[in-house]
Amino acid sequence: HHHHHHHLQVVALGTGTKCLSGSKRSKIGDAIHDSHAEVVARRALVRWMLAHARLALLGVESAVVVGGCIFVDTSEGGGERRLRLREGLGLHFFASEMPCGDACVSASSGRRTGAKEVTTTEAPPEASEVESGEQATHRARRKPGRGEATLSMSCSDKIAKWLILGVQGCLLSRWVDAVPIRTLTILLAESSGCRETLRGAQESAQRAFWGRTRGFDRGSSPPRACTPPAIRVI
């Protein structure tokens, strides 16, 4: 999105609801572990940004680079090459339903998530029975599997991470400053215009994607790289 001309361009799109179980994960990178729509779209976005970084660093054109490079070189002299997003550009994230995990949990409306709470950092989470009773908020969760557990964190957790560190990922971080998401817009199909449901979903989304990670502001490593996005549930 370019602020001056209010021009919107779709650069990445994804759809999907599947995840590989823990035993089917690959150590050599030849299998896609997480195929939820949000993760697929972000993976496509990273590929698009890699092509732009290649153009900025090497001058190599690519079929996916249309309308000029999104990055500018901020290197000075013979120092290490650094890129940042061009002034006036911003990323906008849209999801056609609420991402799985903490954003789906709401005590006031009784909304629940199939994602299972992660209670240990020492070992991979194991398959567990469906949680009964009221679900806790502010929890890290893994995506549910059919039978065997997945090891993929929920989309709420992944989006929260992208908002703290940027969406560029580990490889691009070597050359590119944090790339923030400026806005998140989520379509809540089941609201049917009900203001109460919409307000509860808005509060859940705000908590899950940004509010529950506020502790990372102080003395965190790495520090929070991005500013608060505008989060809207419609």
Side-chain angles (χ1 to χ4, degrees), residues 32-43:
I32 297 175
H33 303 150
D34 186 343
S35 293
H36 277 214
E38 299 89 333
V39 179
V40 172
R42 187 260 181 173
R43 194 177 290 125

Side-chain angles (χ1 to χ4, degrees), residues 80-82 168-177:
E80 186 177 308
R81 303 288 295 278
R82 291 301 299 175
Q168 70 285 343
C170 185
L171 178 61
L172 271 170
S173 291
R174 182 171 177 180
W175 301 281
V176 177
D177 291 346

Side-chain angles (χ1 to χ4, degrees), residues 170-188:
C170 185
L171 178 61
L172 271 170
S173 291
R174 182 171 177 180
W175 301 281
V176 177
D177 291 346
V179 178
I181 295 175
R182 193 175 298 278
T183 68
L184 281 93
T185 303
I186 297 151
L187 181 63
L188 194 69

